[in-house]
Amino acid sequence: MCGIVGYVGGRGAQKILVDGLQRLEYRGYDSAGIVTLGGGATLLREKGKVVELEKLVSEHETPDKIGIGHTRWATHGEPSQQNAHPHQAGDIYLVHNGIIENYKELKQELPDHEFTSDTDSEVLAALIDSFYDNETSLESAVTQALQLVEGTYGIAVLSTREDDKIVVARSGSPLIIGVGQDETIIASDASALVGHTTNAIYLNDGEIAVCKAGSVELTDLASHPLSAKVEKIEADMSAIQKQGYDHFLLKEIMEQPITLQSTLNGRVIKAEARAQLGGLNMSAEELQEIEHVVIIGCGTAYYAGMLASYYLEQLVDGLTVDVEIASEMRYRSFHLPKDTVALVVSQSGETADTLACLREVKARGVKTLGVINAVGSTIAREVDGGVYVHAGPEISVASTKAFTSQVAAMTIFAIQLAQAKGAGAQELGKYIDELAAMPDEIQKVLEAHKDQIRDVATKYAHYEHALFLGRDTLFPVALEGALKLKEISYIHAEGYAGGELKHGPLALVDDRFFEVMLLQENALLDKSLSNLAEMNARGGHVIAITNSDRQIDAEAVIHIDTKQELLVPIVLNVVQQLFAYYVAVARGNDVDQPRNLAKSVTVE
Ligand code: F6R
């Protein structure tokens, strides 16, 4: 949430900052601002999207070579120019991600500063300024201020008095320092560094860095020098561009055959009927001992975990599996049985609740494995082992390709666990074959059904309510389908287990609702068809999404021809993604940046 970018070097800072903010815009888009220094400060802030800021910058161009910028997702104070970052206090300019929890108390101690915004961030700027006298360096003032702060922050700070450096610090909100040739670029997300440098320092909590054109000096909060580890970032420009698609969301749905293949590469070895993940840091003996798996995530990552839990139960005899919402679990007095392993699932690897939950689980001595997309992210760095799903940057706020890759990665984990516990190739072969075939199957479905899904979606786009129903492995898919629809179309949508229909939601069925019924050719199909009949009998408007060849009596039927059997829910979910996309397009919504939301939820 919120994006930070900073630049110091030999090139014009304004353009680099605005370009960077555009790439980070998916992290927050209610206002944006930059400040650059060059014999004085040029502070430019605007309400709305980065494109509005870009217009303002074009009217106030400067050749300045140092600056910081921010795109905001409001926490304290409405979206407005006054509340936009950077915030100024004396000679100090600051951009901030996170929440300063004790800002009200700190504000009372700063009577000399005239506050112009409602933000907690301006309080931090004023606090730094209160320590910044003529004898004090910027980094020293920042360090002293941070000792008093409670909450989370990723900050970048400039001073007109020391206009060759940017001071950055982090506690709980990510910051990456790109080390280029005689230039340094700061960003809250690696995508802003792509095209500038592939060398990066990932700041850890409690670290402060003084960034100049040709150097980065790292210390802890007690000013002890630290050595910086420079790592390679791997992403190319094409991964963060729309490449001819109207929206990132459509691109990310359509590229799933490729991104899923990256998840599977080297991990699903069909010829040997075997699957393995490289980075678990667990021996076969340790895997054998696992008796319980807890899967932790938020939103779509949680639903991916829920779907994978069915596969874990199916594949590993005797294993017990729980799936937990991170924001709930982290505050519970939970107990985990001996021989538990925790799978921590997150696309961004930065979700505040998931990270906090990971720390709670670790504190109980439980082994943690990450199922993460963003390479180098905080959760990926804090888990004991795990797997990168390699879906590539997900720019659209709604998560799509990450879900598919997360489920696939956890299914591989399930196979590996089953192998370690002695399951033979015969028992596992079908899962392995279906995983290996999945990219082609998804490709086939996207090609064959895109137009039909668009037509059905357009027809139902005027409804205001929707009910998604599925049984067994299709229950988490129903929940995910409802989430996807509500977040980008703003249609009120609920997901339910098919068997629950008569226990309440059937009362909702009327002309204001449409219902999405997920139907899989398996032992529960007849039961689901009964649910469908019950809705038809009450005037329901049912869209059936199915791989079954049976005659299905529904208002609309999207019939998918696929060889998948066990893993068909993953394919049906792709259909739902496209459905939600086209509904949102038909309603004229901002598909990639839905209102009120932002990617990477780094605050609670
Ligand atoms: C839904 C969506 C969110 C995220 C959730 C977790 O489309 O994007 O529900 O899935 O905020 O995010 P990560 O996976 O980054 O931890």
Side-chain angles (χ1 to χ4, degrees):
M1 269 170 173
C2 301
I4 285 181
V5 54
Y7 177 80
V8 52
R11 295 188 280 159
Q14 281 186 328
K15 180 166 174 6
I16 293 170
L17 295 177
V18 172
D19 281 356
L21 291 181
Q22 247 140 9
R23 294 191 208 167
L24 298 182
E25 192 167 35
Y26 66 107
R27 297 181 67 110
Y29 31 85
D30 59 45
S31 54
I34 60 169
V35 64
T36 56
L37 304 180
T42 305
L43 174 64
L44 300 167
R45 300 183 295 178
E46 198 60 285
K47 186 177 166 194
K49 298 210 168 189
V50 177
V51 65
E52 303 303 326
L53 175 69
E54 196 178 15
K55 284 184 211 149
L56 186 68
V57 172
S58 69
E59 291 157 17
H60 299 85
E61 283 181 6
T62 71
D64 299 347
K65 307 277 190 288
I66 179 168
I68 53 176
H70 188 265
T71 175
R72 180 167 184 254
W73 184 85
T75 57
H76 295 70
E78 58 172 15
S80 68
Q81 195 199 37
Q82 289 298 83
N83 288 334
H85 301 216
H87 289 289
Q88 183 190 1
D91 296 330
I92 303 277
Y93 291 85
L94 166 137
V95 292
H96 167 227
N97 285 356
I99 293 181
I100 308 299
E101 285 165 3
N102 59 338
Y103 79 103
K104 285 192 182 141
E105 293 88 324
L106 293 171
K107 198 170 181 177
Q108 278 167 2
E109 306 294 315
L110 298 162
D112 296 339
H113 179 76
E114 201 176 307
F115 285 92
T116 57
S117 78
D118 307 317
T119 66
D120 53 336
S121 309
E122 189 184 359
V123 175
L124 182 53
L127 186 65
I128 295 170
D129 183 51
S130 72
F131 289 105
Y132 193 42
D133 57 32
N134 286 336
E135 265 85 73
T136 310
S137 66
L138 181 59
E139 54 273 30
S140 169
V142 170
T143 309
Q144 291 176 66
L146 292 179
Q147 319 275 3
L148 304 178
V149 160
E150 286 164 23
T152 54
Y153 55 81
I155 54 168
V157 191
L158 282 185
S159 159
T160 46
R161 253 193 275 155
E162 298 172 73
D163 64 1
D164 63 338
K165 63 168 85 153
I166 307 173
V167 176
V168 298
R170 112 160 229 178
S171 181
S173 293
L175 271 183
I176 307 169
I177 303 168
V179 188
Q181 186 73 36
D182 297 325
E183 61 181 13
T184 303
I185 306 162
I186 291 137
S188 50
D189 181 323
S191 60
L193 304 182
V194 176
H196 296 299
T197 178
T198 53
N199 297 324
I201 300 165
Y202 290 86
L203 214 60
N204 293 311
D205 281 353
E207 291 180 351
I208 294 195
V210 177
C211 306
K212 295 189 175 175
S215 69
V216 177
E217 278 172 23
L218 216 59
T219 64
D220 61 18
L221 275 183
S223 304
H224 298 126
L226 299 169
S227 59
K229 187 169 155 221
V230 180
E231 298 177 39
K232 285 272 169 231
I233 43 172
E234 294 156 17
D236 58 39
M237 285 301 266
S238 63
I240 57 167
Q241 288 167 343
K242 280 193 204 147
Q243 293 188 297
Y245 286 102
D246 288 344
H247 299 100
F248 279 109
L249 188 61
L250 184 59
K251 176 193 169 213
E252 286 160 12
I253 294 170
M254 298 305 285
E255 73 188 3
Q256 288 180 98
I258 298 163
T259 54
L260 177 60
Q261 192 59 57
S262 306
T263 312
L264 304 178
N265 280 346
R267 293 164 169 174
V268 174
I269 304 115
K270 191 170 175 232
E272 298 170 25
R274 196 163 66 75
Q276 66 175 40
L277 296 168
L280 299 186
N281 299 335
M282 290 180 86
S283 63
E285 290 72 37
E286 285 174 307
L287 285 171
Q288 246 166 38
E289 280 166 16
I290 298 175
E291 300 282 339
H292 182 71
V293 172
V294 59
I295 308 179
I296 299 160
C298 296
T300 290
Y302 168 72
Y303 295 141
M306 211 171 150
L307 177 53
S309 74
Y310 286 77
Y311 297 132
L312 272 156
E313 284 177 348
Q314 288 170 15
L315 277 159
V316 190
D317 266 356
L319 186 77
T320 54
V321 189
D322 285 324
V323 192
E324 300 282 358
I325 296 171
S327 57
E328 286 295 314
M329 187 183 187
R330 63 178 287 194
Y331 292 114
R332 286 202 339 249
S333 313
F334 66 83
H335 307 282
L336 291 169
K338 211 166 123 282
D339 301 321
T340 293
V341 74
L343 298 185
V344 183
V345 191
S346 176
Q347 187 286 126
S348 63
E350 301 293 350
T351 301
D353 285 316
T354 311
L355 175 60
C357 204
L358 158 66
R359 289 174 180 163
E360 287 294 330
V361 169
K362 278 185 90 168
R364 285 159 172 81
V366 171
K367 178 106 182 167
T368 56
L369 300 176
V371 181
I372 308 294
N373 191 34
V375 176
S377 56
T378 310
I379 296 176
R381 298 157 79 79
E382 291 199 14
V383 284
D384 299 312
V387 44
Y388 282 123
V389 302
H390 294 312
E394 201 179 58
I395 307 288
S396 191
V397 165
S399 189
T400 51
K401 61 178 180 171
F403 175 93
T404 304
S405 288
Q406 285 159 349
V407 178
M410 285 185 273
T411 307
I412 300 172
F413 174 73
I415 294 169
Q416 190 169 354
L417 201 52
Q419 284 166 178
K421 286 175 179 281
Q426 214 173 355
E427 292 147 78
L428 306 178
K430 181 115 185 77
Y431 288 87
I432 292 171
D433 289 351
E434 288 201 15
L435 270 178
M438 182 74 77
D440 285 346
E441 290 292 299
I442 292 178
Q443 181 70 41
K444 239 172 47 189
V445 166
L446 288 170
E447 276 167 16
H449 296 285
K450 192 163 167 264
D451 292 347
Q452 187 203 3
I453 296 167
R454 186 198 54 223
D455 293 347
V456 175
T458 309
K459 191 168 153 212
Y460 286 85
H462 65 280
Y463 282 82
E464 286 307 325
H465 305 274
L467 203 53
F468 284 68
L469 293 153
R471 281 173 183 262
D472 193 59
T473 44
L474 291 175
F475 170 41
V477 176
L479 294 171
E480 170 60 9
L483 175 63
K484 211 76 337 169
L485 187 72
K486 79 180 88 166
E487 67 181 326
I488 59 172
S489 75
Y490 317 144
I491 291 176
H492 161 230
E494 290 190 51
Y496 258 96
E500 284 288 290
L501 185 67
K502 287 196 275 288
H503 299 285
L506 193 54
L508 293 170
V509 172
D510 66 16
D511 285 339
R512 296 167 307 155
F513 270 79
F514 71 82
E515 297 82 25
V516 174
M517 188 83 219
L518 299 161
L519 298 164
Q520 183 175 359
E521 186 60 67
N522 65 9
L524 292 174
L525 180 60
D526 284 323
K527 296 191 190 302
S528 295
L529 287 173
S530 302
N531 294 143
L532 171 50
E534 287 152 12
M535 289 187 290
N536 282 343
R538 286 156 184 87
H541 302 280
V542 183
I543 304 166
I545 304 179
T546 184
N547 70 329
S548 170
D549 289 330
R550 290 224 225 148
Q551 179 68 32
I552 289 174
D553 181 17
E555 218 172 72
V557 179
I558 301 174
H559 174 261
I560 300 306
D561 187 16
T562 173
K563 291 204 235 22
Q564 299 280 315
E565 287 173 13
L566 301 165
L567 304 184
V568 81
I570 303 175
V571 185
L572 297 193
N573 186 56
V574 170
V575 174
Q576 292 188 142
Q577 294 171 345
L578 263 187
F579 176 77
Y581 170 75
Y582 282 120
V583 170
V585 169
R587 288 167 75 99
N589 291 357
D590 187 341
V591 186
D592 284 332
Q593 295 174 344
R595 69 183 183 204
N596 306 340
L597 300 180
K599 195 90 178 158
S600 191
V601 185
T602 51
V603 294
E604 270 190 69

